[in-house]
Each structure stands twice: as C-alpha cells, then as structure tokens.
Amino acid sequence: MSTQELLEDSLREPAIGQTSKFHWHATPIGIAALCKKEIPNSPKVSYEEALKEGLEVGLDLSREERESHYSKKGLVILFYS
C-alpha cells in the first residue's frame, strides 16, 4: 500500500484527539494531524502550530520527521520516526 492509501484509510478511523486546528489520527506510518479547515486568505497552517497543539493532546512530536500530504479530507501533516 502506498503512503497516500495508508493515510486515506487511517483518516476514516475515529480521531485519537482534537485541538482547535487539527484532528489527530494514529496511522501505520506515524501521527497524522488533519487540518480542520483552511481559512481563505490566511497563511497555511504551520508545522509549529501542529507541534504546539500536539502537546495539548499529549503528543510531543518535536523530534519527529514531518511532511505534508493532501488527502481527500484536506491537508495532513504527518509526523514519523
């Protein structure tokens, strides 16, 4: 299965947490921060915002690798080791 397929499958499962800007999902690849919505005419959600909000749900992702993906549900920031 490709990374994109694994993400899409995992985003169908219930979130493990929620913050003001993200739904948090556990995936076989790592932790996925799904942006709730993109606000028109505003800067894109940053990795720093995801790191800060991750702490609100007990996730210290500061040492993890990270990358962005677009899924059918929107922008996903993927954190992995």
Side-chain angles (χ1 to χ4, degrees):
M1 234 181 199
S2 72
T3 299
Q4 192 66 32
E5 291 170 323
L6 287 169
L7 278 176
E8 296 292 348
D9 281 349
S10 297
L11 295 176
R12 288 188 198 103
E13 298 296 322
I16 60 170
Q18 182 172 256
T19 56
S20 64
K21 294 182 182 170
F22 302 97
H23 292 284
W24 296 89
H25 293 267
T27 77
I29 307 163
I31 300 296
L34 172 64
C35 294
K36 288 185 174 180
K37 62 181 176 179
E38 292 189 46
I39 302 165
N41 302 320
S42 72
K44 289 192 179 228
V45 175
S46 70
Y47 289 124
E48 289 75 27
E49 290 173 305
L51 289 173
K52 179 181 171 187
E53 290 197 17
L55 291 172
E56 294 175 23
V57 291
L59 299 169
D60 181 2
L61 302 166
S62 60
R63 294 181 183 212
E64 302 297 316
E65 299 292 326
R66 54 193 179 250
E67 56 189 49
S68 296
H69 293 271
Y70 280 93
S71 73
K72 293 177 183 174
K73 293 189 173 192
L75 176 66
V76 176
I77 301 173
L78 180 64
F79 294 90
Y80 61 93
S81 297

